[in-house]
Amino acid sequence: MTLSSRIRKGAAAAGVIAALFALSACSGTSTTEPAAEGDGLQTLTPGKLTIATGEPAYYPWVIDNAPESGEGFEAAVALAVAEELGYAPEDVEWVRTTFDSAVAPGPKDFDLNLQQFTISEERKNAVDFSSPYYTTTQAIITTEGSSVAGAASIADFADAKVGVAAASTSYSVAKDALGKDPEVFNSNEDTVLALKSGQIDALVTDLPTAFYLTGVELEDGKIIGQFDSTEGGDEFGIVLPKDSALTAPVTAAVDALRDNGKLGELETEWLETSVDVPTLK
């Protein structure tokens, strides 16, 4: 199961990013003719930058469903990109879209959209992407009653049974990090069932899925930490309308934020510190 399908499944089960299928036969263009601004950027509304997120948008990507606050990883990234482009927070207009309509062919009512969109060649047929602002890591999760619930380092898993889904990046990351072969199950669902039944002590999955599993699937779920590797991770990019004039400047803004360390700071603040997901050593 791909990362995007897991996220959409999480939306249906728990309201985590509503995903309604809204495909259009139109080509990917803006709903209004872009207006040239004094700074050379073309946006839907003169002097404004229209940014979309989900309805509702959830923690830790957006805090309290209020992206305008700049709190939450993607809300903070969006406003940082806006600043790089020359827009103050009060010049950003927020709109809401479903996940699938944002990456489907057709008109868009936004300049940019952030909803944990994995960059893929198939989606590039319908929309543009910026360079990646986040690459997923692998995390290890358990339940409060597990023997490793208090684990604080990789060494604490020496005697633990750790499970992963078959044919997943999690297998190689877990094997390399833990120094032993993990238990392999047919799917994420089977791995979760094994954890619930006590067949394994913990499981390894990508961090966005870990947020969903511990928040929805596991009543007493707990993210112990994430591994210090992005090998094989999915890359999240900002979605723009197909052939948008903003694709190049937005990509340049994301690259600048990566190079100056701002993206790393926001990742630490919102995906590690605020949700207590330390990097395991």
Side-chain angles (χ1 to χ4, degrees), residues 66-77:
E68 65 277 2
S69 70
E71 296 188 346
F73 180 63
E74 289 190 332
V77 168

Side-chain angles (χ1 to χ4, degrees), residues 2-281:
T2 64
L3 173 62
S4 59
S5 64
R6 288 198 300 272
I7 292 174
R8 294 198 298 275
K9 181 179 178 182
V16 181
I17 307 174
L20 303 175
F21 293 91
L23 296 176
S24 168
C26 302
S27 61
T29 58
S30 301
T31 53
T32 60
E33 191 69 26
E37 295 302 298
D39 55 10
L41 297 182
Q42 294 179 325
T43 59
L44 284 172
T45 303
K48 302 290 183 181
L49 185 67
T50 303
I51 304 180
T53 188
E55 178 58 85
Y58 281 89
Y59 170 98
W61 312 105
V62 175
I63 305 301
D64 295 330
N65 194 29
E68 65 277 2
S69 70
E71 296 188 346
F73 180 63
E74 289 190 332
V77 168
L79 292 187
V81 168
E83 183 178 6
E84 284 289 321
L85 295 175
Y87 293 89
E90 58 267 25
D91 295 325
V92 173
E93 295 185 343
W94 291 93
V95 297
R96 307 300 183 114
T97 71
T98 65
F99 187 97
D100 287 278
S101 66
V103 291
K108 309 300 179 190
D109 63 351
F110 57 79
D111 295 310
L112 322 175
N113 198 323
L114 291 82
Q115 286 187 63
Q116 307 106 63
F117 295 107
T118 297
I119 299 170
S120 73
E121 292 304 313
E122 180 180 2
R123 287 174 176 167
K124 286 181 180 179
N125 292 323
V127 296
D128 285 357
F129 283 96
S130 71
S131 56
Y133 61 87
Y134 175 66
T135 302
T136 60
T137 59
Q138 296 290 315
I140 189 163
I141 69 176
T142 189
T143 56
E144 290 293 351
S146 167
S147 61
V148 293
S153 69
I154 289 175
D156 293 330
F157 293 90
D159 299 321
K161 292 183 179 179
V162 178
V164 298
S168 67
T169 303
S170 304
Y171 177 85
S172 59
V173 172
K175 181 178 180 179
D176 292 344
L178 301 176
K180 60 181 180 181
D181 290 326
E183 303 281 338
V184 179
F185 298 88
N186 290 330
S187 64
N188 270 331
E189 289 79 5
D190 289 345
T191 314
V192 170
L193 287 175
L195 178 60
K196 287 180 176 179
S197 66
Q199 186 177 347
I200 56 176
D201 302 306
L203 68 83
V204 174
T205 187
D206 60 82
L207 185 58
T209 300
F211 285 133
Y212 166 67
L213 292 178
T214 55
V216 178
E217 293 289 335
L218 297 167
E219 184 175 345
D220 55 352
K222 174 182 180 181
I223 303 177
I224 296 175
Q226 60 185 315
F227 296 110
D228 189 19
S229 171
T230 58
E231 180 182 355
D234 288 326
E235 294 181 325
F236 291 171
I238 297 173
V239 163
L240 303 95
K242 187 65 178 175
D243 299 324
S244 170
L246 289 176
T247 301
V250 168
T251 292
V254 171
D255 291 344
L257 293 169
R258 185 186 309 107
D259 293 343
N260 66 23
K262 183 64 175 179
L263 287 179
E265 292 175 7
L266 295 177
E267 185 176 328
T268 297
E269 179 179 0
W270 294 110
L271 299 184
E272 294 182 31
T273 306
S274 68
V275 292
D276 193 22
V277 184
T279 298
L280 295 173
K281 302 292 185 179

